[in-house]
Amino acid sequence: MVSVFTSGNKKYTDFMDEISSDELYEGLLAHGFFAEKLPPVFTAVPFFNYCQTLSAPFEAGWNEYITFRVMRNISIPRLMGIPNPFKYQIACSELRDNWYKLRDHFHAQTDGHSYRVSRIHVRKEYDKKRIFEMNYKNWRVDGNPELDLLMHDNKTSRFIVQADISTCFPSIYTHSIPWALVGKEIAKQTVHEDTWYNRIDQVCSDMRNGETHGLLIGPHASNLLSEIILTVVDKKLYDKGYRYVRNIDDYDCYVDSYDAAQRFLRDLEEALREFDLPLNHKKTKVIELPIGMEKNWKHQLSDLPKVGESGMVEYPQVNTFIDTALTLATATGDFAIINYAIKKLRGAKLSGNGKKLAAKRIMHMATLYPYLLHLLEEYVFAPHDVDASDIKVLSDTVYRNAVNQNDYESLCYSIYFAIRFDFVLEEFENNYVRAQDYVIKSKDCLLLIMTWIYFMKQNHWKRDATQVKPLNKVAMELTNTDMDRYWLFCYEALSSGSLPGQWSSMKQAGISFIRKEIVDDATSTNIESN
C-alpha cells in the first residue's frame, strides 16, 4: 500500500514563502508583541509606526523584561513575558533581514515531507496583518493528516505515542539556534564571529538580560524561533521513517507496534538532546488503537444542546448541556471541556431565558475557575446580552476573591471590565487608598498599569487626579531603580521629562502602548481588537 496524503495540500514552506520580509516584520512587531492572554488594552501598532520613522537603530545591550503569570486550565500557572520594546524591535528586524535565509532553512528541513508535520506556525491569513495564532480553523487548507497516518507506508498503525517537550520555550538554549541553522560544528567554530546566525542568537539573549537559556513565552517571534530548531528535529525523525504530527511541542506519532513506540520515544529524546531540550516523561503515553479521532467527551457533547420546539435552545436544554460539560470535566480532569462548552453555546441560538441562564452559570464558573475570565467578553457578555450591572457584580466578586489569593491576573481582568464597561469597582469606591496600597505593594507591573489606567479613566485622563499621584510617584521610583521590569507602567505614567534617553524621545513623539480608543474617549466602551 502506497501512502497518499490527501489532507491539506499546502506544504510547510508554502506558508513561509507567502510571507514577505516586511510582512514578517510588521506581523511580529505590530501584532505579535503582546500576548493574547493579556486584557485587550495594549497595542504595539503605534510603536511599529514610530520605528518606521527612525533613521538610526536603537541602542544595543541587555535588558530585563516584564513577567506575568497566566493560569492554565490545568490549574498550573505559566510565566509569560513582555520584552523591552527596543530589544524586541531589534530582534524582529534581524529576523526580517534574514528572512530569505530562514526560508531556505525551512525548505531544507521540510521539503521532503509528504505532509505537513508541524501544524501551528506563522502564516499569512486573509485580511489580517498578524501572522500567528494558536488555533487555525481553515480545515480546507490544514486538512487532517491523522486520518492518513492510520495507514501509511504499507503499515497499519496500532499505537499512537503522545509526548511533549518539558517547558519548551524556557528550555531553548539560544546558542542552539545557530546549531540548527548551520550545524553545531560550524556554529562552534564561528561562535565569536559577526555572522547572521550569531546575531539572531544575540538578539534572543539580549531580550533576556544576556541569558542564553530560554525564549520568552508570549511574543510571536518566539514561535518562529522555536520552529528553527524543531523542524530540524522533525527532519531527523521523518528520515528515520516516523510519521507524526507536531503542535508546537506536542507530538502524536503513529506506529505499528509497541516496540516501534518505544523506539520513537528513544529517538525523539536523542534528537531533542542534541539541542539540550528535555522530554517530558510524565506526559508520555502509548495508546493502543483504534480510538476515536475526536476525544470521547466531544462525541458526548456533539449533539447538545438540543433545540426545542420553538426552534431555539431553551432554558432546560442549556442547563443540561452545562451540567453534562461540568460532569465530564470533573470526571476526566480535562477542563478544556468547559472552554469548548462556552464556545459552543455562543454559536447556538438560545432563547432569552437560555441566554440569561448561560451567562449566569458561566460567570459563576469564572469566579471558581479564573482562567475562564479571558473568554467572557467575546463568548459570554456580547452573545448573551449581559447587562453592565451584572458584569459589575461579577467583577466585584472576582476582585475580592483575587485579593484573598494574591491572584494578580484575575485582578487585572476585573479592572479591565470596569474600564471596558465604564463602572466603578466597589473596592475602589469604598476605600480607594486601601485598594491602591495593595496594588502598590504587589509590585506587579500589569496590576500597576491596569490600576493606573482605571483611575485615569475615572478622572477623564487628568494627570493631577488625586488617585494617580501615588502611582506616579511609584513609577518615578521604579524608573530610577528597575525600569526594565516595569517599563510599561513607568512609560505610560510619566511625562517625557521624567523618562531617560530613548524612552523620552518616544514619549515626545506621542507614542502610547495603550489602545487609542481608551485614551481618546474616557467613556468609550468600544475597545479595538488586535
Side-chain angles (χ1 to χ4, degrees), residues 149-168:
L149 291 171
L150 292 172
M151 294 185 292
H152 64 88
D153 300 330
N154 296 316
K155 296 177 182 178
T156 297
S157 296
R158 301 182 184 279
F159 295 87
I160 180 173
V161 189
Q162 295 181 340
D164 74 0
I165 301 168
S166 181
T167 57
C168 180

Side-chain angles (χ1 to χ4, degrees), residues 440-451:
I440 291 172
K441 288 180 178 178
S442 75
K443 297 182 179 180
D444 183 83
C445 180
L446 287 179
L447 184 54
L448 285 163
I449 183 63
M450 290 300 296
T451 304

Side-chain angles (χ1 to χ4, degrees), residues 365-403:
M365 283 191 283
T367 66
L368 302 175
Y369 310 123
Y371 71 86
L372 296 173
L373 289 170
H374 78 280
L375 297 174
L376 295 186
E377 184 176 2
E378 180 179 358
Y379 294 98
V380 181
F381 296 162
H384 301 325
D385 305 322
V386 180
D387 191 81
S389 61
D390 291 324
I391 300 173
K392 173 176 163 49
V393 172
L394 167 73
S395 300
D396 285 332
T397 302
V398 168
Y399 193 98
R400 287 191 296 271
N401 293 344
V403 167

Side-chain angles (χ1 to χ4, degrees), residues 319-382:
N319 213 29
T320 299
F321 178 69
I322 294 175
D323 284 346
T324 303
L326 279 170
T327 299
L328 289 169
T330 303
T332 62
D334 187 352
F335 284 86
I337 296 170
I338 297 177
N339 296 37
Y340 174 85
I342 291 171
K343 293 177 180 180
K344 189 167 186 185
L345 280 174
R346 184 190 68 164
K349 188 177 181 181
L350 307 186
S351 67
N353 286 332
K355 286 183 177 182
K356 289 179 181 178
L357 175 68
K360 287 187 179 296
R361 292 204 63 181
I362 294 168
M363 288 193 292
H364 173 253
M365 283 191 283
T367 66
L368 302 175
Y369 310 123
Y371 71 86
L372 296 173
L373 289 170
H374 78 280
L375 297 174
L376 295 186
E377 184 176 2
E378 180 179 358
Y379 294 98
V380 181
F381 296 162

